[in-house]
Amino acid sequence: MTRIESTFAQLAKEEKKAFVAYIMAGDPDVDTSLELMRGLPEAGVDVIELGLPFTDPMADGPTIQAAGQRALEGGMTLDRTLQMVRDFREGDDSTPIVLMGYYNPIYSRGVDRFLEQAKAAGIDGLIIVDLPPEEDDELCIPAQKAGLNFIRLATPTTDDKRLPRVLQNTSGFVYYVSITGITGSAAAEAGDVAPEVARIKAATDLPVIVGFGIRTRDSAQAIAGVADGCVVGSAIVGDLASGKPVEEVLGFVRALAEGAHAA
């Protein structure tokens, strides 16, 4: 079992929903992002999604785009991101880490070399948004063989014909994108999300976690209430970007986690 699978098994045993938090590696600088990352588990985060900065983040909205740019300007690289994970693992060997990003940096590194380094650093899963199921042989299958979960996105436009292909080699959990468009662009509505989550769950035994458009404790609770949990990214990244100290940002994360866990 990966850390991701173990975490969801334990949450299911406790009849508890998952709270997943996204942060950008190296935003606004390595020390601050590592301090934030280290504080997430105590704030109630069950799974950490760690963004890998990239120059052309096509699926990300302005908030996360800006975070990635700040990280890149500060010298963040794939190597430094992996080091950040290693540093985190010195004090936490149980919280799952999912690396979320784009294929170009991985391709440039070389798939086999990247997977070996990612596994050794302590990464548990990958979300690579620009690799469709038709490209599973490129990274998805090698990642699974290396012991990493490969988490796929399903969206409101993933119809019944497409869904089985999306789910075919997915592991860990399914990430349902609650809205069409980019991150941080609209608010998620539980009434719209619920039937889509039910449709996906009818086709897979994997947990279904909902992200995009969740910004408050109440919305985290509402969305987690119709799924197996929720993801918050832009709201956390934006809170950090506002200049608040890490402790205040962690207070906001704690409120979001309490909402999800209360569902």
Side-chain angles (χ1 to χ4, degrees), residues 137-204:
D137 289 339
E138 193 80 19
L139 180 62
C140 174
I141 302 302
Q144 309 252 36
K145 288 180 179 177
L148 298 175
N149 291 127
F150 198 88
I151 295 133
R152 188 82 68 193
L153 304 180
T155 74
T157 60
T158 305
D159 60 21
D160 290 339
K161 183 178 179 181
R162 179 67 173 169
L163 185 59
R165 187 66 180 267
V166 169
L167 297 175
Q168 185 175 6
N169 292 314
T170 298
S171 65
F173 62 91
V174 180
Y175 187 135
Y176 178 67
V177 177
S178 66
I179 55 175
T180 55
I182 55 177
T183 58
S185 60
E189 296 293 341
D192 297 330
V193 168
E196 292 300 301
V197 170
R199 182 170 67 93
I200 296 167
K201 288 183 71 64
T204 182

Side-chain angles (χ1 to χ4, degrees), residues 18-205:
F19 181 67
V20 183
Y22 171 99
I23 63 170
M24 178 65 72
D27 174 45
D29 55 68
V30 176
D31 290 345
T32 303
S33 61
L34 181 57
E35 181 186 355
L36 177 59
M37 186 179 183
R38 283 173 167 158
L40 293 176
E42 190 178 343
V45 173
D46 299 299
V47 179
I48 296 171
E49 237 180 77
L50 185 64
L52 176 62
F54 183 55
T55 53
D56 187 24
M58 65 186 79
D60 295 319
T63 299
I64 291 179
Q65 281 189 30
Q69 191 60 41
R70 287 191 296 270
L72 291 169
E73 289 173 355
M76 202 61 178
T77 62
L78 175 55
D79 282 332
R80 289 185 176 184
T81 300
L82 293 175
Q83 184 58 51
M84 183 174 164
V85 175
R86 286 191 288 269
D87 291 342
F88 175 85
R89 285 288 177 226
E90 289 178 1
D92 187 317
D93 194 44
S94 59
T95 304
I97 299 172
V98 176
L99 190 69
M100 184 171 187
Y102 298 83
Y103 186 45
N104 183 277
I106 297 170
Y107 177 79
S108 299
R109 174 61 48 96
V111 167
D112 291 343
R113 184 179 172 210
F114 165 77
L115 291 174
E116 182 181 351
Q117 292 175 338
K119 181 70 174 174
I123 290 171
D124 305 291
L126 302 173
I127 299 175
I128 308 300
V129 298
D130 54 348
L131 274 181
E134 287 74 17
E135 306 295 335
D136 273 358
D137 289 339
E138 193 80 19
L139 180 62
C140 174
I141 302 302
Q144 309 252 36
K145 288 180 179 177
L148 298 175
N149 291 127
F150 198 88
I151 295 133
R152 188 82 68 193
L153 304 180
T155 74
T157 60
T158 305
D159 60 21
D160 290 339
K161 183 178 179 181
R162 179 67 173 169
L163 185 59
R165 187 66 180 267
V166 169
L167 297 175
Q168 185 175 6
N169 292 314
T170 298
S171 65
F173 62 91
V174 180
Y175 187 135
Y176 178 67
V177 177
S178 66
I179 55 175
T180 55
I182 55 177
T183 58
S185 60
E189 296 293 341
D192 297 330
V193 168
E196 292 300 301
V197 170
R199 182 170 67 93
I200 296 167
K201 288 183 71 64
T204 182
D205 292 329

